[in-house]
Amino acid sequence: APFIQKGSTLEMGCYEGFFTSLLEKNLELENIHVVEGSSELISRAKKNVSEKVTFYHSTFETFKPEQSFQNIFLIHTLEHLDEPTLVLKRVKSWLTHNGNLFLAVPNANAPSRQIATKMGLISHNQAVTPAEREHGHRATYAFDTLEAVVRESGLKVDNRGGVFFKPLANFQLDKAIETKIISPEYLEGCYQLGMQYPDLTASIFLICKP
């Protein structure tokens, strides 16, 4: 939130509009635009936001905005792209001169993933598993590989961090929460610890400037 600027905002990929709703309601952003390649997802997302949000049915590779943006969000989407550098170069041209790109991806070095590597379940931390590939993942990033793609596109990393220290796999966390083995206080502790150890979080993020 401290890095978000008032002004035009673009969300790249909306799924069912949950994050779009956070931008509109929790952060009270106005002039929100969304580009999404699935017309079905746009229909779903529209039900979760106000009519003030503008949607564009387009791929990132062919999208041609008519304005620049103060804030652009590419959240858990870069790992799905076949040509991430090409898309980020386009994103750079869509930012205002002092705008911010908020970029977040799943973290290859999350403890749960490193444990899976040691168990022999995956070959290495940055491997794309069959299940991830089935969900459209093309890459698994750590800070070094994510920053390399950003630099190659001509963007500058202005800030970095991680969200939620992740000791367990998703299905294990879900089960532990469901059976109340894990408390809300434990989850808050994992969130706080993630700020202390960003390289060991579920997701890593960069805030980039043109």
Side-chain angles (χ1 to χ4, degrees):
F3 300 96
I4 293 172
Q5 305 176 50
K6 293 296 182 183
S8 55
T9 295
L10 175 67
E11 181 187 15
M12 299 178 65
C14 62
Y15 192 52
E16 296 184 346
F18 175 73
F19 190 75
T20 321
S21 176
L22 291 179
L23 294 177
E24 184 177 36
K25 297 172 184 176
N26 290 42
L27 295 174
E28 300 179 348
L29 288 175
E30 299 178 356
N31 195 16
I32 297 174
H33 301 254
V34 178
V35 55
E36 169 58 55
S38 166
S39 57
E40 180 182 348
L41 290 179
I42 289 176
S43 296
R44 293 182 193 176
K46 282 183 175 180
K47 297 176 183 177
N48 295 315
V49 296
S50 75
E51 294 181 354
K52 294 179 181 178
V53 178
T54 303
F55 288 86
Y56 304 90
H57 181 209
S58 173
T59 64
F60 302 156
E61 292 82 0
T62 59
F63 181 52
K64 294 181 180 179
E66 297 180 354
Q67 65 179 99
S68 298
F69 300 96
Q70 291 290 121
N71 311 290
I72 297 180
F73 291 89
L74 189 60
I75 307 298
H76 281 227
T77 302
L78 191 77
E79 67 273 13
H80 292 266
L81 302 182
D82 290 316
E83 298 184 87
T85 304
L86 170 66
V87 171
L88 289 177
K89 283 181 178 178
R90 303 198 80 221
V91 169
K92 180 187 175 186
S93 70
W94 303 339
L95 284 165
T96 60
H97 73 281
N98 65 336
N100 286 324
L101 165 65
F102 298 85
L103 177 61
V105 295
N107 181 18
N109 290 331
S112 58
R113 194 173 184 93
Q114 293 195 52
I115 291 169
T117 300
K118 299 302 183 186
M119 291 172 65
L121 298 177
I122 57 178
S123 61
H124 57 290
N125 293 356
Q126 297 193 26
V128 178
T129 68
E132 289 168 338
R133 196 166 295 283
E134 194 173 308
H135 282 89
H137 288 213
R138 298 292 182 263
T140 307
Y141 294 97
F143 273 121
D144 59 342
T145 50
L146 182 62
E147 291 184 5
V149 172
V150 166
R151 287 195 301 269
E152 190 178 348
S153 71
L155 288 157
K156 182 184 74 171
V157 176
D158 197 48
N159 214 301
R160 71 207 295 265
V163 181
F164 195 82
F165 180 86
K166 193 184 180 194
L168 300 171
N170 289 346
F171 77 93
Q172 293 170 321
L173 281 170
D174 289 342
K175 192 68 176 178
I177 292 169
E178 179 187 335
T179 55
K180 297 185 179 180
I181 293 172
I182 285 180
S183 66
E185 291 78 13
Y186 181 90
L187 296 175
E188 177 62 22
C190 286
Y191 173 71
Q192 296 288 341
L193 197 59
M195 289 190 279
Q196 189 171 337
Y197 300 106
D199 194 44
L200 298 176
T201 51
S203 298
I204 53 175
F205 69 84
L206 301 178
I207 301 173
C208 309
K209 291 282 189 185

